[in-house]
Amino acid sequence: MKTLRAAVIAVCMATSVQCANMTLSGYICPTCPSADDPAALLKSLPKVYNIVNVAFVGWNDNGSIVNQFDDPTKGFALTKEMVTALQSEGRMVLVSIGGGAGGIITGTEPAGFAENMASGLLQYCDQYGFDGVDFDIEHRSGDLMKCADVINSVLKLLKQKKPTIKISFAPQMVNLDPSVAIISPGFNELAPVIGPSLGLIDWIQPQMYNSWSQVETLDYAKNYTAMLLQGYAIPSANVTVPPIPPQKLALGYPASPSGAGSGYLPPCDVAAMVRDMHPPILGLMTWDIGWDQKSGWKFADCVAQN
């Protein structure tokens, strides 16, 4: 089976998209302060951005999907033509669900919640032409195993209804943490999702930021990557995260100091670290494309140079 990285290389060789030694996944958040003019931003992306995640959609209590990426105050409404234009340049475009200001999964959702969420996401994919869905669901409460069951059900339904759909996950690093063998609020909350559903997920892009200084270093990122590639178990919860294939793993970093409360590292240092990893991983993710633009495209340039 062709890996995502191999597929990206094939596409960029056949189009005008620049081929770096790694994949670059970036978010565009039209409602965020990083995007002054979302429509213009979509037209000005450096070629090195292979994957574009449109942030965000949310959900109602019954699981139905809510558009949270259009911004009337900026005169912005996403269209299928905008998505198609990005795809015509060889990019993959996903819609991202959740975000830091997104909703909460409680594990007590009503019957039909997962069906409504999966069907709604697929409707958005059809309406706008998205290649898939990025899961950035950051908030859970109550029984974390039941919360995981809800998300796992959505993933299964998505792949059952549309086997070709791409699914990515952007866990906060602490919620996919091989160094801590527990599942509790703030620790490994997404291990019981990514563990059993790894086969349904096309790539994982952990957020290596907004945690604490001791783990926001290049050395920690190297060790963290090595642990994920080996897999890990949480015996107390009967959860195992299998070894994550390197071509399913990208590390996420802020595009500029404005992109996160903490965790910013010089982009060229980050890109060089990923370039030198053995085995090579998929690449990098950044939050977000707008902050990269405001910094003079430093993140994109560093990836292109490596």
Side-chain angles (χ1 to χ4, degrees), residues 47-69:
K47 295 176 181 179
V48 74
Y49 276 102
N50 314 106
I51 301 171
V52 177
N53 309 282
V54 178
F56 291 102
V57 292
W59 62 90
N60 292 313
D61 290 343
N62 66 353
S64 58
I65 298 300
V66 180
N67 180 335
Q68 295 178 341
F69 50 71

Side-chain angles (χ1 to χ4, degrees), residues 32-291:
C32 293
S34 56
D36 297 330
D37 185 342
L41 181 58
L42 284 170
K43 295 178 180 178
S44 65
L45 302 190
K47 295 176 181 179
V48 74
Y49 276 102
N50 314 106
I51 301 171
V52 177
N53 309 282
V54 178
F56 291 102
V57 292
W59 62 90
N60 292 313
D61 290 343
N62 66 353
S64 58
I65 298 300
V66 180
N67 180 335
Q68 295 178 341
F69 50 71
D70 285 344
D71 191 341
T73 67
K74 298 177 183 178
F76 177 77
L78 187 72
T79 65
K80 189 171 186 176
E81 289 71 24
M82 293 175 181
V83 173
T84 301
L86 293 172
Q87 293 165 332
S88 71
E89 298 169 340
R91 311 180 204 268
M92 198 174 296
V93 185
L94 281 70
V95 62
S96 186
I97 180 170
I104 301 172
I105 297 292
T106 65
T108 60
E109 281 72 20
F113 179 92
E115 174 68 34
N116 290 339
M117 179 173 280
S119 296
L121 289 169
L122 289 174
Q123 181 180 350
Y124 267 70
C125 288
D126 289 341
Q127 179 180 349
Y128 292 95
F130 295 121
D131 295 290
V133 180
D134 170 70
F135 281 80
D136 185 18
I137 296 178
E138 298 189 6
H139 304 296
R140 294 150 295 275
S141 67
D143 188 324
L144 295 175
M145 300 303 290
K146 290 183 178 179
C147 293
D149 289 342
V150 173
I151 301 173
N152 283 327
S153 295
V154 175
L155 299 180
K156 291 176 183 176
L157 286 167
L158 285 173
K159 285 290 189 178
Q160 286 172 2
K161 292 172 180 289
K162 189 175 183 180
T164 59
I165 193 171
K166 298 298 182 184
I167 295 177
S168 63
F169 243 84
Q172 294 163 304
M173 183 275 294
V174 294
N175 283 318
L176 184 67
D177 189 352
S179 70
V180 181
I182 59 171
I183 295 175
S184 66
F187 295 97
N188 274 314
E189 292 183 23
L190 289 173
V193 175
I194 292 170
S197 291
L198 182 59
L200 303 176
I201 300 169
D202 293 281
W203 67 93
I204 299 166
Q205 40 196 16
Q207 303 174 32
M208 307 298 290
Y209 48 90
N210 287 340
S211 48
W212 57 93
S213 60
Q214 292 89 339
V215 300
E216 294 174 342
T217 67
L218 295 177
D219 284 341
Y220 185 85
K222 295 174 188 176
N223 293 332
Y224 177 76
T225 298
M227 288 188 287
L228 287 182
L229 297 185
Q230 293 175 358
Y232 66 105
I234 305 174
S236 61
N238 195 30
V239 168
T240 297
V241 177
I244 296 176
Q247 292 301 302
K248 276 193 174 187
L249 181 63
L251 299 181
Y253 287 92
S256 78
S258 300
S262 66
Y264 174 78
L265 294 173
C268 286
D269 292 351
V270 169
M273 172 191 68
V274 170
R275 177 200 64 201
D276 293 339
M277 284 184 170
H278 297 286
I281 64 171
L282 177 64
L284 286 165
M285 173 272 278
T286 190
W287 178 272
D288 66 8
I289 292 172
W291 291 124

